[in-house]
Amino acid sequence: MLDKSILEQVRGIFAMLDDQYTLNVNYSPERVDAQELIEFVRDVASCSPKLDYNLNQVGGNALEFSLYKGNTDTGVKFRGIPNGHEFTSLLLAVLNADGKGKNLPDQSIIRRIQALAGEIHLQTYVSLTCTNCPDIVQSLNIMALFNTCIDHEMIDGALFQDEVNNRNIQAVPTVYANGKLLHVGRGSLGELLQELEDM
């Protein structure tokens, strides 16, 4: 599914990974795009001996995968197929989990992230053509990686249109925290962190 030149670049990016990672896939065989997701995950996992994948056939409308470090869920989930601008978000999620990302925050920001109390479930609705969406997705993935009480899922709105309609989402990125609207539009890690601290 991914072309050879992209796969070659990803092999180079993942060449220095230290830990073992698994892309844990849940999919419904009733979805027409399930095979596309499986091929995408297989391609990504083929880029490093440190990457593996699990396929879990489930019911409902599932089309998602979570990033595991060893046997531990990192709290980072992608609902949909993170192509386009969100492909970088997936690559950075793996690199950041390994401590090798280029957009990791400084210690004062990390301490604030770790100080966020209680379970926080974050959801970001995106479009794969949106240029502002990856900044939000990557910032919230970082929060999930540094605070085990936080999880974050990127949701491709085009593939979960019922949810977009039910929540009357008019623009992307749109972020929900524990089911309540938190943020719409472009933003930074600092802005999102402040909004979560003010919740």
Side-chain angles (χ1 to χ4, degrees):
M1 182 181 161
L2 296 170
D3 70 45
K4 289 182 180 179
S5 63
I6 290 175
L7 289 172
E8 204 55 48
Q9 289 175 40
V10 175
R11 285 190 188 96
I13 291 167
F14 286 161
M16 302 298 286
L17 290 177
D18 291 323
D19 289 294
Q20 197 72 36
Y21 296 90
T22 302
L23 305 177
N24 195 47
V25 181
N26 291 324
Y27 71 97
S28 168
E30 296 171 19
R31 291 204 59 133
V32 295
D33 34 22
Q35 194 57 42
E36 186 181 349
L37 173 64
I38 292 167
E39 289 175 16
F40 174 86
V41 166
R42 280 178 176 155
D43 282 354
V44 172
S46 74
C47 292
S48 171
K50 297 288 188 178
L51 277 174
D52 201 357
Y53 66 93
N54 286 327
L55 300 178
N56 306 298
Q57 190 170 304
V58 297
N61 197 33
L63 188 78
E64 63 188 37
F65 64 93
S66 299
L67 175 64
Y68 278 67
K69 182 177 184 176
N71 295 318
T72 304
D73 190 345
T74 62
V76 172
K77 180 189 286 185
F78 294 88
R79 286 176 62 203
I81 304 163
N83 267 321
H85 292 293
E86 292 302 339
F87 189 58
T88 302
S89 297
L90 170 58
L91 301 184
L92 274 173
V94 177
L95 291 175
N96 287 342
D98 212 55
K100 295 182 172 62
K102 290 187 168 66
N103 64 339
L104 291 168
D106 61 33
Q107 284 302 314
S108 64
I109 295 290
I110 291 172
R111 282 193 294 270
R112 285 173 62 194
I113 292 170
Q114 291 171 337
L116 291 168
E119 298 286 329
I120 303 174
H121 174 50
L122 299 166
Q123 298 171 294
T124 304
Y125 289 86
V126 306
S127 163
L128 298 185
T129 58
C130 166
T131 55
N132 292 322
C133 292
D135 289 341
I136 299 292
V137 171
Q138 291 161 25
S139 294
L140 297 179
N141 282 347
I142 282 171
M143 292 192 201
L145 291 172
F146 281 105
N147 187 328
T148 56
C149 294
I150 297 173
D151 63 75
H152 173 241
E153 55 182 344
M154 179 222 82
I155 304 166
D156 181 356
L159 299 182
F160 294 91
Q161 200 63 52
D162 286 351
E163 289 180 40
V164 170
N165 294 339
N166 290 339
R167 285 180 155 171
N168 196 28
I169 294 170
Q170 302 292 330
V172 290
T174 292
V175 182
Y176 283 81
N178 294 338
K180 294 182 180 178
L181 184 64
L182 179 76
H183 183 94
V184 179
R186 61 191 303 178
S188 66
L189 174 59
E191 289 169 329
L192 292 161
L193 180 54
Q194 187 66 58
E195 288 168 350
L196 287 169
E197 289 171 334
D198 293 342
M199 270 174 53

